[in-house]
Amino acid sequence: MSSKLLIDVQQVTKRFPVGHHEVEVLKDISFQVHEGEFVAIVGQSGSGKSTLLNMLTGVDRPTSGEVFVNGQRLKDLSEDGLAHWRRREIGIVFQFFNLVPGLTVAQNIRLPMELADLYTPLERTARVAALLDQVGLAERATWLPSRVSGGDQQRAAIARANANDPRLIFGDEPTGRQDPRSAAACFDLFQEWVDTGKTFLMVTHSRALAARTGRTIELADGRVIRDEVH
Ligand code: ADP
Ligand code: MG
């Protein structure tokens, strides 16, 4: 592949203390992702998918090994530095959405723009409207997350992940709460992101969705057991 190396994972392990012991959740994981790839990460529940995403997004740090994203060695960033980097450089659709309960759907989508300060206030307003439209939430703009369905909350999280137009987006089962029809619409949006040059890594339980991406990385018990370009 001739495109640019975007993610470089080198021998990453992650252990968590459990009582007096440690469990090794990620075991010597290495792979690379190039710009423009659409990657599915699959594996059974508990295989380490969310933990792996946390390593790639700087939400958590590896016990050993290195993660480089767009040339940035994540280990070299302080907590503040990581937060700043995360806000500006990537988007994340969290498995449990992480919407701010006291903000409306529209305010949640706007928040990353307020924090990153990459767009003018006028641009932010226009972007929020467009992002709401893209995920079919225009009519829910002024609603609080608790008042809308799980599927709506998830689509708000999808729109929010794209708020600052990042080149790299991660999704943790980002269609898991959608009915088949809106899951298909969300997948089309992800494909559109990729078609416009973005890179998208998606944890999914759906073999059918995974098969429609460009590549599948399968985890089992904290190891990569398959890495297949379709
Ligand atoms: P998946 O997303 O593939 O379902 P996870 O990455 O959430 O899997 O979890 C992988 C394993 O790591 C599970 O056995 C889980 O219980 C364990 N685990 C995850 N986070 C922690 C933690 N903070 N402390 C202890 N164990 C954890
Ligand atoms: Mg998970």
Side-chain angles (χ1 to χ4, degrees):
M1 203 174 298
S2 59
S3 60
K4 189 174 158 199
L5 175 61
L6 196 57
I7 300 175
D8 192 4
V9 183
Q10 299 180 358
Q11 297 178 294
V12 162
T13 64
K14 179 65 176 177
R15 290 189 288 273
F16 291 109
V18 176
H20 296 296
H21 299 90
E22 279 195 321
V23 285
E24 196 164 51
V25 170
L26 299 178
K27 300 166 182 166
D28 193 23
I29 296 216
S30 300
F31 62 87
Q32 299 183 327
V33 176
H34 289 80
E35 195 164 55
E37 281 197 89
F38 189 172
V39 182
I41 299 171
V42 303
Q44 295 195 338
S45 187
S47 57
K49 305 181 298 295
S50 294
T51 305
L52 176 60
L53 277 201
N54 289 343
M55 303 298 116
L56 305 182
T57 54
V59 167
D60 197 1
R61 295 177 187 272
T63 306
S64 64
E66 299 280 0
V67 178
F68 295 83
V69 180
N70 207 5
Q72 173 68 56
R73 188 181 183 213
L74 298 192
K75 198 186 261 178
D76 293 339
L77 295 173
S78 65
E79 290 310 308
D80 282 354
L82 264 180
H84 186 258
W85 170 81
R86 201 184 299 125
R87 273 179 208 145
R88 287 177 165 244
E89 303 293 329
I90 66 173
I92 312 175
V93 186
F94 290 98
Q95 186 166 10
F96 303 107
F97 323 140
N98 295 6
L99 298 173
V100 180
L103 297 182
T104 66
V105 164
Q107 288 166 339
N108 266 284
I109 294 170
R110 188 178 179 112
L111 184 61
M113 293 186 250
E114 307 288 351
L115 295 172
D117 203 23
L118 296 167
Y119 292 104
T120 66
L122 220 59
E123 287 171 330
R124 292 172 203 176
T125 303
R127 282 190 66 76
V128 168
L131 289 160
L132 281 166
D133 249 355
Q134 266 180 0
V135 295
L137 282 177
E139 280 154 33
R140 296 283 182 268
T142 60
W143 293 43
L144 289 174
S146 59
R147 307 284 297 174
V148 304
S149 71
D152 288 349
Q153 291 178 40
Q154 188 164 49
R155 293 204 309 290
I158 290 169
R160 182 184 59 179
N162 199 25
N164 286 311
D165 198 21
R167 307 283 301 159
L168 172 60
I169 306 182
F170 299 89
D172 200 344
E173 307 197 24
T175 63
R177 290 291 291 275
Q178 311 293 324
D179 59 59
R181 214 185 138 130
S182 32
C186 288
F187 189 90
D188 289 345
L189 177 60
F190 304 153
Q191 186 64 60
E192 208 177 297
W193 289 349
V194 173
D195 290 344
T196 59
K198 292 178 192 277
T199 306
F200 188 49
L201 271 75
M202 173 180 75
V203 167
T204 179
H205 265 118
S206 164
R207 298 254 164 204
L209 281 191
R212 292 176 55 200
T213 68
R215 174 180 174 190
T216 298
I217 295 176
E218 181 170 358
L219 296 186
D221 193 23
R223 292 182 199 281
V224 174
I225 59 161
R226 185 164 66 99
D227 186 347
E228 213 169 76
V229 174
H230 307 143

